[in-house]
Amino acid sequence: MRHPLVMGNWKLNGNKQMVSDLISGLNGALQGVDGCGVAIAPPVMYLEQAREALANSPIALGAQNVDVNLSGAFTGEVSAEMLKDVGAQYIIIGHSERRTYHHESDALIAQKFAVLKQAGLVPVLCIGETEAENEAGETEAVCARQIDAVLNTQGAAAFNGVVIAYEPVWAIGTGKSATPAQAQAVHKFIRDHIAKQDAQVAAQVIIQYGGSVNDKNAAELFAQPDIDGALVGGASLKADAFAVIVKAAAAAKQG
Ligand code: PGA
């Protein structure tokens, strides 16, 4: 039985005061919520502060990126062991902003996936097509290619206990979410694609939707059978809106 996971991707936002206020807001608003995993990924700078603020909280800590190297002369990078050391558990990789602005390839992202698994951390593997790819009817081919980078090098078993986030690039930060039916069709395609290699692994893998999820559209997205929570950007910066999204995920899977 899969549990949904709602994760906040804070991106390049915040300062010490905001971290403190937002986490205390979330700790209050999410008390007693059951049946849905919750995680936040603040900027790496604030992970330690966030870890302290999350002591005794069911909210897990996450991060937005990791390097493939474990240590050494790699200026500006952060390793899987460092993330583990400060208590981060869910690590976003392959976000479209990193694919676009930092030219991360499918092969590099697959390497990051392997490094995280090796460290006992949970990859949150972001995949999804651009608007042009969508219009060209290439959505499934793009998602398959991005999944295959891991599947073909590490096998289906590598997807045990991990999270995939389907995030159509045209929906990220645009206010234009995929419709529940559109998202469900792609989620089902992704699950079936993994099931061709291992049905059990496919049945347990969490597939989040991401892209303009907010407190208004979350419930109908989560009502879809293959949508297991969300990766939330903008709306994760507001405790009240994020709490509504988490509660919608918890309620959908109970009903
Ligand atoms: P958004 O971002 O919710 O602001 O669209 C989602 C994401 O980039 O993970």
Side-chain angles (χ1 to χ4, degrees):
M1 172 62 189
R2 292 191 307 272
H3 283 289
L5 173 72
V6 174
M7 180 160 178
N9 174 10
W10 292 9
K11 307 192 181 183
L12 185 57
N13 293 294
N15 53 37
K16 283 200 255 185
Q17 188 62 50
M18 179 270 210
V19 172
S20 164
D21 292 347
L22 186 47
I23 293 180
S24 69
L26 290 173
N27 280 336
L30 291 174
Q31 249 170 39
V33 175
D34 198 21
C36 176
V38 185
I40 54 169
V44 72
M45 194 70 200
Y46 300 115
L47 286 178
E48 181 64 18
Q49 185 193 345
R51 188 188 61 78
E52 283 169 20
L54 291 173
N56 306 318
S57 168
I59 302 171
L61 191 60
Q64 303 172 20
N65 184 32
V66 67
D67 191 43
V68 290
N69 298 291
L70 295 184
S71 66
F74 302 100
T75 302
E77 297 297 348
V78 172
S79 75
E81 291 299 333
M82 290 172 184
L83 294 174
K84 196 170 163 182
D85 201 25
V86 295
Q89 189 185 351
Y90 294 95
I91 317 298
I92 299 169
I93 53 172
H95 193 282
S96 68
E97 287 149 18
R98 294 213 56 94
R99 291 180 190 261
T100 304
Y101 306 136
H102 301 273
H103 310 290
E104 293 195 3
S105 66
D106 291 337
L108 179 79
I109 293 157
Q111 247 182 301
K112 292 185 175 195
F113 189 105
V115 162
L116 291 173
K117 293 285 287 187
Q118 189 69 36
L121 298 173
V122 181
V124 178
L125 173 66
C126 299
I127 63 170
E129 82 287 0
T130 63
E131 184 152 43
E133 289 164 340
N134 182 280
E135 282 166 3
E138 291 166 7
T139 298
E140 293 187 352
V142 170
C143 290
R145 190 198 76 221
Q146 292 174 339
I147 291 280
D148 285 348
V150 175
L151 214 47
N152 294 343
T153 52
Q154 296 160 54
F159 283 90
N160 260 321
V162 315
V163 180
I164 296 169
Y166 168 59
E167 299 203 301
V169 180
W170 47 269
I172 296 176
T174 58
K176 190 175 116 188
S177 165
T179 65
Q182 270 175 327
Q184 165 59 24
V186 183
H187 281 232
K188 183 167 186 325
F189 169 80
I190 295 164
R191 202 179 299 287
D192 289 350
H193 188 71
I194 297 172
K196 281 190 260 168
Q197 303 221 359
D198 191 319
Q200 266 181 349
V201 170
Q204 60 75 52
V205 72
I206 293 175
I207 309 181
Q208 298 176 314
Y209 169 76
S212 297
V213 175
N214 59 39
D215 48 349
K216 308 284 187 305
N217 62 16
E220 53 176 9
L221 286 160
F222 298 153
Q224 302 297 319
D226 287 293
I227 299 184
D228 310 321
L231 185 56
V232 185
S236 74
L237 300 173
K238 291 171 248 152
D240 290 351
F242 191 69
V244 169
I245 297 168
V246 172
K247 287 174 187 170
K253 302 303 156 177
Q254 270 152 23

